[in-house]
Amino acid sequence: MKAYDQRPPEKQIVLDKIVVNSQDGTKGGILSVDTDAAFVIFNLGAKQGIKPDDVLSVYREGKYLGDIKATRVQDEMSAADIIPPLSSKGISKNDTVVLKP
């Protein structure tokens, strides 16, 4: 019997294991912006759980700017298309990206 559960062992409630997806809320940053082709490179990749078609939010100083969609994923960096209404002119190097759950 654990200290926080004062019931006799036969009356204790057993819960299933809780699993938290650590990839939700994964944060990174914009490395470069291609304004002509409207895509960005950011510093998260397969090692951080990024997969093609993942959607990430872009922030600057805590202000939400819009979303991007991962298209090409390498081990430690990825490319993403910019999802309108966000445009390449609205994103800058070092903006924060956060993986959406």
Side-chain angles (χ1 to χ4, degrees), residues 1-20:
M1 181 164 67
K2 298 190 178 183
Y4 58 84
D5 192 343
Q6 300 300 318
R7 292 175 282 199
E10 65 275 2
K11 295 202 178 202
Q12 289 181 6
I13 299 171
V14 178
L15 300 175
D16 290 335
K17 185 176 182 181
I18 297 172
V19 178
V20 177

Side-chain angles (χ1 to χ4, degrees), residues 20-35:
V20 177
N21 184 353
S22 63
Q23 295 172 4
D24 292 345
T26 299
K27 292 183 182 181
I30 299 290
L31 298 174
S32 67
V33 181
D34 185 317
T35 55

Side-chain angles (χ1 to χ4, degrees), residues 5 24 26 30 35 42 44-46 59 70 76-77 83-84 86 90 92 94 99-100:
D5 192 343
D24 292 345
T26 299
I30 299 290
T35 55
F42 60 98
L44 299 172
Y59 296 87
E76 296 185 9
M77 70 174 71
I83 300 173
L86 184 61
S92 299
N94 297 323
L99 180 61
K100 290 185 127 179

